[in-house]
Amino acid sequence: MISYRISNLSRSLVICLLCHAMLGCVTVVAQVGAAPGTNISPLLSNPPVARSPLVLTAINDPLSGRGAFSFKGLEDPPVIRASPGEDIRLTYVNAMSTDSHETCIDGPCMNMTNLHFHGLHVSPEAPQDDVLTMMAMPGQSLQYVVNIPSDAPPGLYWYHPHPHGESYQQDLDGMSGAIVIEGIERYVPELQHMRERILVLRNHVLDKSNPAAATELTQRVDLSTNACGTSTEAPESVLTVNGAVRPQIPISPGELQFWRIVNASPDLYADLQVDGEQLEIVALDGMPLAFHNPAHRIEFASHILVPPAGRVEAIVVGPKLGVRVSLRTLCFDTGTDGDPNPAMVLADLINGAPSPKLQAPLTDAKPPVYKPLSPDLIAHVENDSPDFVVDFTEDKQGFYINGRKFSSSDPPMTTVSIGALHHWRVKNDTHEVHPFHIHQVHFLIYAQNGVRLERPEWLDTVNVPVEGNVDLVMDFTDPIIRGVSLFHCHLLSHEDKGMMAKILFK
């Protein structure tokens, strides 16, 4: 929902300098931020690109011991790119240690791992987006074959581990990456002429054992020292972009760039703003705005709240020469029981020569796929009583959905017959915001606290306000979606502590 209030990093710095003679500039590829005490501001670079078949390895960083993804020998998770109708064929190797030095929800981590292909409309059964029965212990591997439907919404998705009880720690460590389903230029043709940038936001945990380094890091990102919201706790992390602390983004004055941003943090919200600029939004959570409404191609916003796991794809205009502009996240009040979410600078925009676009040009003349839904049908679903109610609660012993804490042996909490739209209501009976996510499908958020929204949005992750509720039209029409799947809070520590439940699609 657009808001109109309008990784962990290793200590080494891996920098690759590539000279572009025709542009007269240098591109810096940085996997980590500058070491404390230095003033290095790396230029932002896109992560490496991978297409099927690919091998991804889960490892422990040799310096920090934290979990990491290794691709072609580097701790630089790739952007997996695929076209509608293709398969993502991925070998996932668990080369993590059998003796973890990290602590998960129930004690020492076991370093079990798997992958969730967040937001994709694909099967929840093996060998696809199965996070319940597909699991690799250290020394084991998983073989994924994810069938991308030919009518899949083209946009930005992402992948991350989903082992119950260890999801939070692995995501906190930076085990995440972007997925791009090609073809969004069919909906917004002008994107073909723009440089594409992939921005993956991850956590860098502040080192409590080294206050000087933590202070230097918070100063580097201009972390706000003012009270932010009603949380009384001190910040524990700052956000990085593609693994770098406050990188520089080259963009020439007036240049249009296409930014694809995924909030891969397990617990930080990103209320994104580019100083003095309007974001021209073309897609949310991987779905083009025009997918269900061909007349709704773009929206403008001065800032947009992106919850953990959310994505936004937007056109950004280069600032005037000499004007200092930053990409930043604003303060967001998570509630009295929530974590602090202060304002900070994510990256600085700097003047740079125009660069060629990075996305592949269209190679055929296929028209965009639109799936308009009847306004009368939508209204009928909205006006009916909820078919199912999700109730988030918590206490000192854990986090619950409808009074139950998740167990892997649980039967499905609800069963859905595929082929219709359903009205769900998600309630939050706690004193903190919870982002609701369901695997395999998108939903239309159309009301909050009983008040209809001016701009209903199709999402796969949505914030549920403190002691409030949201009403959703769930799209359970896709015949591909069969089997047992999940819905949960996407504050991953809450999911690990029980705020998750199964759903059976049949």
Side-chain angles (χ1 to χ4, degrees):
M1 177 172 51
I2 292 180
S3 171
Y4 288 90
R5 304 173 20 217
I6 41 171
S7 350
N8 288 328
L9 308 173
S10 66
R11 290 174 291 176
S12 59
L13 178 64
V14 182
I15 298 180
C16 176
L17 300 181
L18 302 175
C19 180
H20 297 276
M22 64 179 291
L23 297 177
C25 65
V26 174
T27 299
V28 179
V29 181
Q31 283 185 252
V32 297
T38 69
N39 292 315
I40 296 175
S41 294
L43 296 187
L44 181 78
S45 66
N46 273 350
V49 173
R51 292 185 178 271
S52 296
L54 70 144
V55 177
L56 186 69
T57 304
I59 65 170
N60 293 107
D61 179 85
L63 291 177
S64 67
R66 300 185 181 102
F69 281 152
S70 175
F71 176 67
K72 294 185 176 180
L74 295 176
E75 291 183 26
D76 199 0
V79 178
I80 300 173
R81 303 190 78 110
S83 296
E86 292 183 350
D87 294 339
I88 296 176
R89 296 179 176 270
L90 190 155
T91 300
Y92 186 43
V93 180
N94 186 350
M96 301 175 79
S97 170
T98 56
D99 182 20
S100 175
H101 298 289
E102 295 188 300
T103 301
C104 287
I105 297 304
D106 296 321
C109 299
M110 298 171 60
N111 281 345
M112 60 182 179
T113 191
N114 59 11
L115 291 177
H116 171 44
F117 301 89
H118 185 113
L120 290 180
H121 296 192
V122 297
S123 171
E125 297 188 332
Q128 300 197 56
D129 190 26
D130 176 8
V131 300
L132 290 169
T133 69
M134 292 184 71
M135 191 72 65
M137 300 303 295
Q140 298 179 336
S141 299
L142 298 171
Q143 301 290 334
Y144 289 96
V145 182
V146 182
N147 310 129
I148 308 300
S150 59
D151 58 353
L156 181 66
Y157 302 84
W158 69 298
Y159 60 94
H160 64 92
H162 210 294
H164 181 60
E166 305 199 16
S167 298
Y168 171 79
Q169 189 60 51
Q170 292 185 21
D171 190 73
L172 184 70
D173 285 348
M175 297 174 70
S176 58
I179 300 173
V180 171
I181 302 303
E182 310 282 15
I184 198 169
E185 315 87 73
R186 304 184 198 281
Y187 299 82
V188 186
E190 53 266 37
L191 297 177
Q192 295 182 76
H193 308 293
M194 299 178 196
R195 181 183 176 97
E196 175 194 83
R197 293 194 181 276
I198 308 291
L199 286 72
V200 183
L201 309 184
R202 301 186 182 95
N203 288 42
H204 185 158
V205 176
L206 301 175
D207 187 354
K208 295 180 181 178
S209 66
N210 189 342
T215 298
E216 191 278 335
L217 192 60
T218 58
Q219 290 176 346
R220 193 189 314 161
V221 299
D222 288 346
L223 189 77
S224 176
T225 57
N226 297 326
C228 177
T230 52
S231 175
T232 58
E233 299 180 10
E236 296 182 349
S237 299
V238 299
L239 285 171
T240 65
V241 183
N242 296 353
V245 176
R246 195 170 176 171
Q248 297 179 332
I249 303 179
I251 184 170
S252 62
E255 179 187 357
L256 301 180
Q257 292 188 358
F258 181 40
W259 290 10
R260 315 182 89 163
I261 305 173
V262 51
N263 183 0
S265 167
D267 53 11
L268 289 177
Y269 299 79
D271 194 354
L272 299 173
Q273 174 184 280
V274 176
D275 296 338
E277 301 288 343
Q278 289 278 301
L279 296 169
E280 189 173 346
I281 298 166
V282 300
L284 294 170
D285 284 2
M287 181 171 284
L289 299 184
F291 190 74
H292 286 303
N293 183 358
H296 186 200
R297 294 177 63 248
I298 60 172
E299 288 182 4
F300 290 92
S302 60
H303 62 109
I304 177 171
L305 180 62
V306 182
R311 287 91 66 212
V312 60
E313 298 171 76
I315 298 168
V316 175
V317 182
K320 295 179 180 179
L321 190 64
V323 177
R324 298 186 63 180
V325 170
S326 296
L327 169 66
R328 65 182 71 241
T329 177
L330 307 177
C331 166
F332 175 65
D333 187 358
T334 63
T336 55
D337 289 346
D339 296 326
N341 214 92
M344 70 185 83
V345 176
L346 303 179
D348 297 304
L349 281 63
I350 63 168
N351 182 37
S355 302
K357 59 182 176 58
L358 298 183
Q359 66 266 37
L362 290 175
T363 58
D364 55 60
K366 291 182 181 178
V369 174
Y370 295 109
K371 290 190 175 182
L373 295 171
S374 163
D376 291 339
L377 175 60
I378 293 289
H380 176 73
V381 176
E382 293 175 354
N383 293 329
D384 274 352
S385 298
D387 299 298
F388 186 67
V389 176
V390 177
D391 189 6
F392 286 153
T393 57
E394 61 182 83
D395 58 27
K396 293 181 179 180
Q397 283 68 50
F399 295 80
Y400 311 88
I401 292 180
N402 295 356
R404 291 164 52 183
K405 183 184 293 187
F406 178 81
S407 170
S408 298
S409 61
D410 286 344
M413 182 175 285
T414 187
T415 298
V416 172
S417 295
I418 292 298
L421 303 176
H422 286 235
H423 176 190
W424 277 27
R425 178 169 295 153
V426 185
K427 296 171 56 183
N428 178 4
D429 289 325
T430 78
H431 300 291
E432 62 180 311
V433 177
H434 294 281
F436 169 82
H437 169 58
I438 184 168
H439 293 200
Q440 325 309 143
V441 302
H442 278 72
F443 48 76
L444 180 70
I445 161 71
Y446 69 90
Q448 179 172 297
N449 295 336
V451 178
R452 183 173 178 82
L453 302 177
E454 291 185 10
R455 296 176 176 84
E457 302 287 358
W458 287 93
L459 304 170
D460 62 40
T461 307
V462 65
N463 284 329
V464 189
V466 172
E467 298 183 304
N469 61 74
V470 293
D471 283 279
L472 314 174
V473 175
M474 311 295 290
D475 186 358
F476 294 144
T477 62
D478 194 336
I480 292 174
I481 311 304
R482 307 278 181 174
V484 178
S485 190
L486 294 168
F487 55 93
H488 58 88
C489 172
H490 219 287
L491 297 177
L492 291 181
S493 64
H494 295 183
E495 179 260 296
D496 280 344
K497 293 177 181 178
M499 197 171 271
M500 182 163 70
K502 295 178 183 176
I503 177 172
L504 172 61
F505 297 118
K506 69 175 186 177

